[in-house]
Amino acid sequence: MTRRKVSLTELRELADRGERLVMVTAYDYPSARLADAAGLDIVLVGDSAAMTVLGHSSTVPATMEEMLVLTRAVTRGAERPLVVADMPFGSFQVSDEEAVRNAVRFVKEAAADAVKLEGAGPTLSRVLALIGAGIPVMGHIGLTPQSATMLGGFRAQGKTAEKARRLLEDAVALEDAGCFSLVLEAVPAPVAEEISERLSIPTLGIGSGPRCDGQVLVLHDVLGLYEGRSPKFAKRYANLSTEIRGALERFAGEVRSGAFPTEEHTYAMPEQELAAFLSGSRAGSRAEG
Ligand code: KIV
């Protein structure tokens, strides 16, 4: 039975009732199914895929074609959670028209429910254009990895009164432009709390303290699947890389020792069919010899 997709209104109502929203990234069908089964509200096909699944050292190289393949797999697996596709670097920076063209591809070709864009300032006109085209937009401010070099590296943002005030202004501007929610990444907790109180749309914090309307983490950090360095704010809830490596080592060991496969993993055939097959095959090889 197909379950009903969570709506933007429901997300807002949940947040208004003080129920915390939960979002996780996912990049394939099985993890989307698991996020759905675990009752998560939003699944983000993050451009963090460039690092977690494609092996790049930053999110910048993620392409539209790669993100479309991943988003398609996730939307097949996530029935109830809202699926948000992250617009990769270069897909929305050039013009409103290009942003709309690319966001439409996420909705039409990959069945995404919404898209996420990093930044404010020039991003505001993109948000207006996308919403004008009927595509819901999630904003993302604070540490925006696509522009980490401009921000002085992967570091917390809004740590002075002036920078915190600018973040608040950006948040209000994104809400006014029509974003249905806002990611706050690596923002001091009191600043994230003030922004969350001032906005009507739900905020989703990552490294921004407990007073956001919800929290988001990268799946590979949650599962302990990422071999690279995880940020300070990432909490590990499992250690799957050790589990997976152990399983692969046991598999290799059993193949090499002959312990796998056993009869349990092997197909049989009726005895007379086998006898006929073997006698035919041996007669053939005698005739050839
Ligand atoms: O790409 C991503 O995973 C993200 C989250 C960290 C919010 O943007």
Side-chain angles (χ1 to χ4, degrees):
M1 196 183 70
T2 327
R3 280 144 66 244
R4 203 170 52 80
K5 172 79 64 186
V6 68
S7 70
L8 301 181
T9 318
E10 278 169 308
L11 288 176
R12 189 139 163 186
E13 283 167 0
L14 284 171
D16 287 347
R17 286 205 299 272
E19 288 181 40
R20 298 244 160 80
L21 304 178
V22 191
M23 173 161 99
V24 74
T25 66
Y27 317 102
D28 59 19
Y29 175 80
S31 50
R33 297 275 302 167
L34 291 168
D36 189 342
L40 272 61
D41 303 301
I42 310 173
V43 172
L44 170 68
V45 190
D47 63 353
S48 49
M51 301 171 77
T52 54
V53 298
L54 300 177
H56 293 292
S57 57
S58 83
T59 62
V60 169
T63 67
M64 270 303 293
E65 299 311 317
E66 288 163 347
M67 292 299 294
L68 281 167
V69 171
L70 303 178
T71 305
R72 242 180 250 129
V74 169
T75 55
R76 286 185 203 115
E79 277 179 23
R80 181 193 166 269
L82 197 84
V83 177
V84 180
D86 214 357
M87 295 200 63
F89 183 67
S91 69
F92 66 94
Q93 280 82 357
V94 175
S95 66
D96 289 355
E97 288 72 22
E98 206 167 310
V100 172
R101 202 173 307 119
N102 283 320
V104 164
R105 291 193 71 193
F106 276 120
V107 174
K108 238 179 129 95
E109 297 174 33
D113 300 306
V115 296
K116 176 169 84 59
L117 266 66
E118 290 188 8
T123 302
L124 291 172
S125 84
R126 310 291 186 261
V127 174
L128 286 167
L130 295 183
I131 289 164
I135 301 171
V137 181
M138 174 181 276
H140 180 165
I141 57 170
L143 170 54
T144 44
Q146 291 176 8
S147 41
T149 311
M150 296 274 288
L151 299 174
F154 288 85
R155 54 180 63 213
Q157 301 295 309
K159 287 177 85 169
T160 65
E162 172 58 20
K163 288 180 177 160
R165 192 182 52 74
R166 241 181 284 146
L167 275 181
L168 175 59
E169 284 169 6
D170 287 345
V172 171
L174 284 163
E175 169 167 309
D176 289 347
C179 284
F180 73 90
S181 66
L182 181 65
V183 170
L184 299 173
E185 180 164 353
V187 171
V191 178
E193 180 176 359
E194 179 63 15
I195 293 175
S196 302
E197 270 175 21
R198 293 281 296 275
L199 297 190
S200 320
I201 57 171
T203 58
L204 291 147
I206 174 160
S208 299
R211 299 265 176 234
C212 296
D213 299 298
Q215 296 291 326
V216 47
L217 280 179
V218 167
L219 182 80
H220 288 51
D221 290 333
V222 174
L223 301 182
L225 254 181
Y226 188 51
E227 301 272 305
R229 240 185 67 211
S230 292
K232 163 187 161 80
F233 52 70
K235 183 167 177 186
R236 184 173 281 203
Y237 289 83
N239 198 351
L240 289 198
S241 58
T242 309
E243 280 278 313
I244 292 172
R245 186 178 161 168
L248 292 174
E249 285 171 354
R250 287 197 300 283
F251 169 52
E254 290 195 2
V255 170
R256 288 178 184 137
S257 72
F260 174 84
T262 59
E263 224 177 295
E264 183 194 347
H265 310 105
T266 310
Y267 295 104
M269 69 191 287
E271 264 175 34
Q272 58 287 25
E273 296 298 331
L274 176 59
F277 164 67
L278 289 179
S279 69
S281 141
R282 283 168 195 169
S285 70
R286 268 197 302 279
E288 272 167 32

